[in-house]
Amino acid sequence: MRLQDKVALITGGAQGIGRAIALGMGQEGARVIVADLQAEKAETVAAELRALGAEALALDVNVASEQSVQRLAERIFERFGRVDVLVNDAGVYLKAPVVSKSEEDWDRTLDVNLGGNFLCARAFVPAMRRQKSGRIISIASSIAHNGAREFADYAASKAAIIGFVKALARELGPDGITVNAICPGSANTDMPRRHRSEEETMARLRATPLGHVLEPEDIAGPILFLASDAAAYITGQTYNINCGTVMI
Amino acid sequence: MNPVALITGGGNGIGRAVAQRMAVGGMIVVVADYEYAAAEQVRAEVEEAGGTAAALSLDVTIAREVKVAVGEAAQRFGRIDVLANIAGGSFYTKRIEDFTWAEWKVVIDTNLKGTFLMCREVAPIMQKQKNGRILNTASNYGVTGSALRAPYSAAKAGIIAFTKSLALELAADGIRANTVAPGPTDTPRVMEKETPEARQQRWYSSIPLGRTGRPEDLAELYYFLTTPESAAITGQLFHCNGGLV
């Protein structure tokens, strides 16, 4: 049990990669907060965690709202008194070519994907500084490196996360807090299916050098490593988990 | 059956810590080193702790020696699941115009050619097994460069690109290849040259986590890259430097 009694917050923890991270943290002994805009789904994941024997709490949050993140922090500190691990996974993925992308969509993508990182860091870093320890792990995307047609806002937001993480790692290192990013390739979740047929999705997921379909658990594993004591000397890095599709 | 890990440069510093970590993780370790006595000592340490190990004398720059060493390891234990290429070093710190051709060759061959020769010899074994993990060793200098270490920086950058190509070539056989880039690490070799105070002066202000690395920090990362938790990771570069780079 590498995370025994650690308090771990996963935003966007209700489904897909976030859910796998939450379950993985619970299996490693962490007390898990599943925070998501979709409160019912978050509660389902919390129930799964409890069935595994882990302590879990589902909370609703809009990471793009200062008040909502503030309320989230208050509820967490009231119940747990601390946060050891913050995983920023909440994100949106809205398809449209740049020339016809609405300002609303642009703002939403940047506010949730990037702004959420900022607001959550601001809310939870002071407690980590007091503890003189903490782990922040932000989910970017291989699209940050490769770009993607009709997802320019998403690519920009995810690349910006990498820059943010590097700067934050420098700011927080002296307090014993590590900050790292993860760039998953396209994974076997609902997300790629939103804009493609099942057949096309699976064909694309199989077309990797390793020939292995990237599962949410493949992303969760390295995050558990980064959250554990074994990764105490690793900060400011970006881990690319994509079965060999992008090497940078 | 316990997996078998072959570790070059396993007699000292990071290589020694990696050998010990792999052994704790249940692997049989083959410790290969230019300094046979050092390899032999690590073998004894591992076995004393309850592990299984063998020691080999190996100069990774000599193709014939590489062939013999890999053959011995494979014959003795029947397989090679993990290859960690850690043998290397910067050897010299001086201006480019002061490097002789022979010195240049020593640095390039020990770091880059040695990595190639080892991979060339071990990859076919892993291809037959349809399983394997290769861990090559670069340096933060392979990304940033370093004044007075031009051949070392070049060799380490070469290892990063070599490993990406290798990862693409071997992926279809279920073999993963990744690179670890240590930052300033407290190994006996560097501690010999510098007092702890001088090291603190030189590094602590530029490393966000406020300390230089320990061989054990690196060993955890190498070990992680051999486990199923990293099953979807290949062709990537992993820095371990406290946030320096």
Side-chain angles (χ1 to χ4, degrees):
Chain A
M1 299 277 247
R2 289 174 291 178
L3 301 174
Q4 192 66 52
D5 298 329
K6 302 275 190 199
V7 177
L9 163 63
I10 295 103
T11 72
Q15 59 187 355
I17 291 170
R19 172 177 166 273
I21 298 166
L23 294 178
M25 298 267 175
Q27 280 161 342
E28 290 290 345
R31 309 160 81 190
V32 183
I33 301 121
V34 183
D36 206 291
L37 197 56
Q38 305 177 77
E40 266 175 47
K41 282 191 182 176
E43 188 47 52
T44 305
V45 176
E48 284 182 85
L49 276 158
R50 285 181 211 116
L52 291 168
E55 185 179 345
L57 175 65
L59 292 173
D60 65 302
V61 69
N62 170 9
V63 296
S65 152
E66 284 193 277
Q67 294 82 350
S68 179
V69 171
Q70 202 43 51
R71 204 164 54 243
L72 175 74
E74 282 160 14
R75 284 187 287 179
I76 289 171
F77 290 129
E78 198 180 321
R79 162 99 176 244
F80 297 97
R82 59 189 290 129
V83 166
D84 299 288
V85 181
L86 163 63
V87 179
N88 292 302
D89 179 54
V92 295
Y93 184 67
L94 310 172
K95 182 175 181 173
V98 170
V99 291
S100 53
K101 200 172 283 284
S102 69
E103 190 179 343
E104 287 73 23
D105 275 12
W106 172 272
D107 285 344
R108 179 148 177 253
T109 301
L110 271 291
D111 288 355
V112 174
N113 296 9
L114 179 61
N117 269 266
F118 163 63
L119 292 177
C120 288
R122 213 177 50 174
F124 295 102
V125 158
M128 290 182 175
R129 281 204 207 261
R130 280 194 298 274
Q131 295 159 202
K132 290 279 170 203
S133 74
R135 295 278 195 276
I136 299 175
I137 302 158
S138 294
I139 311 302
S141 164
S142 59
I143 290 174
H145 295 126
N146 258 20
R149 269 180 304 162
E150 304 186 31
F151 290 101
D153 48 354
Y154 184 83
S157 70
K158 293 299 190 177
I161 286 173
I162 297 172
F164 177 71
V165 158
K166 290 179 181 176
L168 199 61
R170 292 193 186 278
E171 268 187 50
L172 304 184
D175 291 303
I177 302 163
T178 71
V179 190
N180 293 287
I182 298 280
C183 287
S186 192
N188 193 13
T189 64
D190 289 340
M191 200 175 91
R193 293 178 165 82
R194 249 172 264 161
H195 304 289
R196 284 196 180 89
S197 72
E198 181 62 24
E199 201 179 331
E200 201 189 344
T201 300
M202 285 314 293
R204 288 173 67 97
L205 288 174
R206 283 195 194 96
T208 68
L210 281 179
H212 165 102
V213 173
L214 189 65
E215 297 293 344
E217 292 71 24
D218 292 320
I219 313 302
I223 290 169
L224 297 177
F225 168 69
L226 285 172
S228 76
D229 290 343
Y233 198 58
I234 297 171
T235 195
Q237 304 305 318
T238 301
Y239 279 21
N240 300 303
I241 306 167
N242 55 41
C243 299
T245 50
V246 180
M247 297 177 185
I248 188 160
Chain B
M1 196 168 47
N2 292 342
V4 178
L6 171 56
I7 299 144
T8 75
N12 284 296
I14 295 170
R16 173 169 169 262
V18 169
Q20 289 168 335
R21 183 66 186 88
M22 302 288 186
V24 168
M27 294 184 209
I28 294 167
V29 294
V30 181
V31 184
D33 206 290
Y34 183 77
E35 295 176 52
Y36 179 70
E40 178 52 31
Q41 189 175 339
V42 173
R43 181 202 64 75
E45 288 167 359
V46 167
E47 299 218 311
E48 217 160 279
T52 306
L56 290 175
S57 163
L58 172 62
D59 180 342
V60 295
T61 66
I62 301 172
R64 178 172 33 81
E65 281 198 25
V66 168
K67 197 177 174 67
V68 169
V70 171
E72 264 182 54
Q75 198 180 10
R76 170 132 182 227
F77 297 109
R79 53 192 294 121
I80 298 176
D81 299 280
V82 173
L83 168 63
N85 286 306
I86 303 176
S90 58
F91 298 92
Y92 311 100
T93 43
K94 54 181 169 176
R95 291 148 59 96
I96 189 71
E97 57 270 39
D98 298 329
F99 268 97
T100 67
W101 175 234
E103 289 166 345
W104 168 272
K105 292 282 279 185
V106 165
V107 180
I108 298 292
D109 287 1
T110 308
N111 291 285
L112 182 55
K113 185 179 175 185
T115 298
F116 156 64
L117 291 175
M118 289 300 300
C119 292
R120 190 177 67 167
E121 214 52 47
V122 171
I125 295 169
M126 292 180 168
Q127 283 176 310
K128 276 197 212 105
Q129 296 167 180
K130 293 279 170 203
N131 172 50
R133 283 136 286 164
I134 295 173
L135 303 169
N136 292 332
T137 305
S139 157
N140 52 312
Y141 293 145
V143 176
T144 62
S146 168
L148 309 183
R149 289 186 192 84
Y152 183 67
S153 304
K156 292 305 193 183
I159 287 171
I160 297 168
F162 171 78
T163 306
K164 291 177 185 177
S165 306
L166 187 72
L168 289 171
E169 286 185 28
L170 301 180
D173 293 307
I175 302 164
R176 301 189 285 109
N178 293 289
T179 308
V180 172
T185 307
D186 302 338
T187 62
R189 195 167 60 199
V190 301
M191 299 303 281
E192 249 169 43
K193 291 183 211 154
E194 212 173 14
T195 64
E197 296 72 41
R199 245 175 117 59
Q200 170 136 11
Q201 279 271 308
R202 182 147 76 103
W203 289 115
Y204 284 38
S205 62
S206 52
I207 296 178
L209 287 176
R211 65 171 174 90
T212 45
R214 302 176 189 120
E216 294 72 26
D217 295 319
L218 273 303
E220 292 291 349
L221 178 56
Y222 281 89
Y223 180 69
F224 160 70
L225 289 169
T226 70
T227 65
E229 269 191 347
S230 58
I233 299 179
T234 196
Q236 308 302 330
L237 171 64
F238 293 84
H239 287 284
C240 183
N241 55 36
L244 175 70
V245 176

